[in-house]
Amino acid sequence: MYRYWFVVAALCLAPSLGLAEDSPHPIFKITLNSFIQEALQNNPELAEVRQKINVLKEIPPQRESLADPMVMLGLMNLPVDTFSFRQEAMTQKQIEVTQALPYPGKLNLRSKEALQDVRIAEQTLHDLELAIIRQVKTSFYEICFLRAALDTTRQNKILLEQFVTIAESKYAVGKGIQQDVLQAQVELSKILDRLIELQQMKDQETARLNTLMDRLPQAPLHIPHGITQTPFHYTVEDLQMLAEKNRPALKEIQEAIEKMKVRRELAEKEYYPDFQVGFRYGQRQDSPFNDRPDFVSGFVGVNIPIWQKTKQDRKVAEENYRISVLRESYRKVRNKIFMEIKMLMDKEKKNRELIQLVKTGIIPQAKQSLESALAAYSVDKVDFLTLIDNQVTLLNWEIKYHRELTHYEQNLATLESLVGKSLIDLNKTER
């Protein structure tokens, strides 16, 4: 009976088995922020996009530069009978330099178009950074859940071992049945199996988080206890307004629209001709009979855009349609983001209400029911199956609490990614 009263005392003194504290661990947020910064700095996917941006930054100066000048060497009036330079026909040695000159404004527009590619890529990078932050937070909170689930399951394992001892003691003095002992051992084996499964899941999630930070998958992670429910006071409309203002995916489309506008301007410039200017110097070969001077020539050439209805007009129309396509794409992406925000806000409300219900209602009731069943079992008023059922019920609800709390925090991380801005830092009060 001593062991029975030890279990009862443990149940009565514990305010709640495995529940989170009301205040966060002092280094909990520091650890999470350090993981985020490490991932942003070292993640290979982000590094790849940054290098692509460096590539794009080298293009605008090239687009704004003139084409290379052409230098041509030639001979003129070389007789084919003797191939002699000393003839009355006055053979010339020629050198010609030509330079293509686009219509004024075209080079600047080509450079602006390339700069828009840089801005588009920068928005892609920002959106990817938000995704990496969300993945880090999701894995971080998942590891917190698995640690809490492991701790709760280990605590219940200790209680169940006490139940096994009680069942064996009652069976030894003839007040219990062997079936109770076997049932307790089966439930204990289930607990051990669950511990193995949770540990495997924790190792997998640790590997995922390490990979995001460009560490070895098997590297150890030191995550303190301290996950708490983050206060959240935004409405759906608040988040939708923030998303339209801050989300890089929407800004990326806006930058693409600006690029198409530049391309339309460039297409309109094609109605005007480009120029070709050149200089030619002809050296005349002296003959025995004449001493004639060399020649200098210059010229300007232009292309004549006469096929406007089938070329320039069509190109301008093409760019206008591209702008229209992007504007519709913007509306489509914006509506999708708004819908996802609404769905996540519904989940946030459900998680918040369920966390409160489980923490303040169901778990205290389940704990009280277990204490009552244990007391009743000691005096043979309930069977052992009822006792085990109460213990399993309490275990499941404690893990359910941690699961819902984790989902709540992960949903907030996803909302931040959708909105394109940190929402937690904007809150003035924390619990």
Side-chain angles (χ1 to χ4, degrees):
M1 295 303 294
Y2 170 77
R3 291 185 180 274
Y4 155 67
W5 289 114
F6 172 80
V7 176
V8 173
L11 287 169
C12 293
L13 292 175
S16 184
L17 293 175
L19 296 188
E21 298 178 356
D22 289 335
S23 58
H25 192 283
I27 63 171
F28 180 81
K29 289 187 176 180
I30 296 176
T31 303
L32 176 56
N33 288 334
S34 68
F35 287 167
I36 291 173
Q37 294 306 315
E38 186 174 347
L40 292 178
Q41 182 177 354
N42 299 332
N43 186 271
E45 192 174 0
L46 289 174
E48 180 185 12
V49 176
R50 291 189 184 106
Q51 291 303 322
K52 288 180 179 178
I53 292 175
N54 290 333
V55 171
L56 293 174
K57 285 180 178 179
E58 300 301 323
I59 297 176
Q62 301 176 49
R63 295 284 180 86
E64 201 169 11
S65 299
L66 290 171
D68 294 332
M70 295 288 294
V71 177
M72 182 172 62
L73 303 175
L75 291 173
M76 184 177 179
N77 298 330
L78 182 66
V80 297
D81 56 346
T82 63
F83 291 100
S84 173
F85 289 96
R86 295 183 175 277
Q87 295 290 333
E88 196 66 30
M90 300 304 296
T91 299
Q92 292 183 31
K93 300 174 184 176
Q94 295 183 337
I95 180 171
E96 180 179 305
V97 180
T98 60
Q99 175 67 62
L101 298 174
Y103 190 83
K106 284 186 177 180
L107 291 179
N108 182 53
L109 288 172
R110 289 170 185 168
S111 177
K112 285 178 65 176
E113 180 186 356
L115 282 171
Q116 285 303 123
D117 287 332
V118 175
R119 294 190 179 101
I120 291 170
E122 287 174 343
Q123 296 304 326
T124 301
L125 174 63
H126 294 160
D127 210 41
L128 181 58
E129 287 174 340
L130 290 172
I132 294 297
I133 292 173
R134 174 182 55 80
Q135 292 174 42
V136 169
K137 286 187 174 183
T138 298
S139 288
F140 183 86
Y141 287 125
E142 189 67 20
I143 293 172
C144 289
F145 159 72
L146 292 169
R147 286 190 58 180
L150 280 165
D151 290 345
T152 301
T153 305
R154 290 189 186 107
Q155 291 174 0
N156 279 269
K157 172 179 170 289
I158 294 172
L159 289 177
L160 193 56
E161 287 172 343
Q162 296 293 333
F163 295 165
V164 171
T165 302
I166 294 172
E168 289 174 342
S169 299
K170 293 186 68 175
Y171 176 68
V173 297
K175 293 185 177 181
I177 58 175
Q178 188 179 24
Q179 180 63 31
D180 290 348
V181 178
L182 296 175
Q183 182 66 38
Q185 292 173 342
V186 168
E187 293 299 328
L188 182 58
S189 296
K190 290 180 180 179
I191 290 285
L192 294 173
D193 178 68
R194 180 61 175 162
L195 286 172
I196 294 172
E197 181 183 2
L198 288 170
Q199 185 61 49
Q200 181 184 15
M201 294 169 64
K202 178 175 173 289
D203 292 342
Q204 292 174 348
E205 203 63 45
T206 299
R208 184 176 292 109
L209 182 52
N210 275 325
T211 302
L212 287 170
M213 297 186 291
D214 198 30
R215 297 182 181 182
L216 290 175
Q218 67 273 20
L221 285 178
H222 303 289
I223 298 178
H225 287 286
I227 182 172
T228 57
Q229 185 178 354
T230 303
F232 192 75
H233 309 293
Y234 291 95
T235 66
V236 173
E237 291 75 18
D238 291 337
L239 296 178
Q240 289 171 344
M241 289 177 60
L242 286 171
E244 192 159 17
K245 180 180 178 181
N246 297 290
R247 180 66 191 273
L250 294 176
K251 290 183 178 181
E252 181 180 343
I253 299 175
Q254 291 172 334
E255 295 292 355
I257 291 174
E258 292 303 313
K259 175 185 175 180
M260 290 303 110
K261 289 180 179 179
V262 173
R263 290 184 58 173
R264 182 177 61 188
E265 288 185 63
L266 190 56
E268 291 170 348
K269 289 286 186 181
E270 294 300 325
Y271 286 104
Y272 304 98
D274 296 326
F275 303 94
Q276 189 86 8
V277 297
F279 167 83
R280 183 183 300 120
Y281 178 82
Q283 183 185 51
R284 307 180 90 181
Q285 183 66 42
D286 293 338
S287 73
F289 309 101
N290 296 294
D291 184 11
R292 298 185 179 183
D294 295 341
F295 286 109
V296 174
S297 304
F299 60 88
V300 176
V302 297
N303 65 303
I304 304 175
I306 61 175
W307 314 114
Q308 294 182 3
K309 289 190 179 296
T310 57
K311 189 176 181 181
Q312 283 81 3
D313 288 354
R314 295 296 184 181
K315 184 60 177 177
V316 172
E318 174 191 341
E319 301 306 333
N320 281 326
Y321 283 125
R322 289 183 186 275
I323 292 172
S324 298
V325 168
L326 287 170
R327 283 174 175 162
E328 296 306 319
S329 178
Y330 179 90
R331 291 202 307 156
K332 179 185 71 174
V333 174
R334 183 192 60 188
N335 291 342
K336 181 181 179 183
I337 291 173
F338 283 7
M339 180 191 67
E340 290 176 347
I341 288 174
K342 174 62 170 64
M343 294 175 65
L344 282 173
M345 287 294 285
D346 291 341
K347 289 179 67 176
E348 183 271 339
K349 179 181 178 182
K350 173 209 159 206
N351 290 142
R352 177 164 33 87
E353 293 175 348
L354 191 53
I355 288 169
Q356 187 67 17
L357 174 63
V358 174
K359 182 178 181 180
T360 62
I362 296 178
I363 287 182
Q365 293 169 3
K367 180 183 173 186
Q368 186 178 8
S369 178
L370 176 58
E371 293 172 355
S372 176
L374 184 58
Y377 175 73
S378 66
V379 293
D380 299 323
K381 290 186 177 180
V382 298
D383 57 17
F384 191 72
L385 186 60
T386 301
L387 177 63
I388 291 295
D389 183 65
N390 277 271
Q391 189 270 338
V392 171
T393 299
L394 177 59
L395 169 63
N396 290 337
W397 279 112
E398 287 175 340
I399 293 179
K400 175 72 172 176
Y401 167 79
H402 292 294
R403 179 78 276 174
E404 292 300 324
L405 181 58
T406 301
H407 281 163
Y408 176 87
E409 297 299 325
Q410 290 172 336
N411 284 340
L412 294 191
T414 304
L415 276 171
E416 286 184 321
S417 177
L418 281 172
V419 169
K421 186 178 183 67
S422 174
L423 301 173
I424 308 307
D425 293 341
L426 296 178
N427 288 294
K428 301 301 182 182
T429 59
E430 289 188 333
R431 188 168 58 180

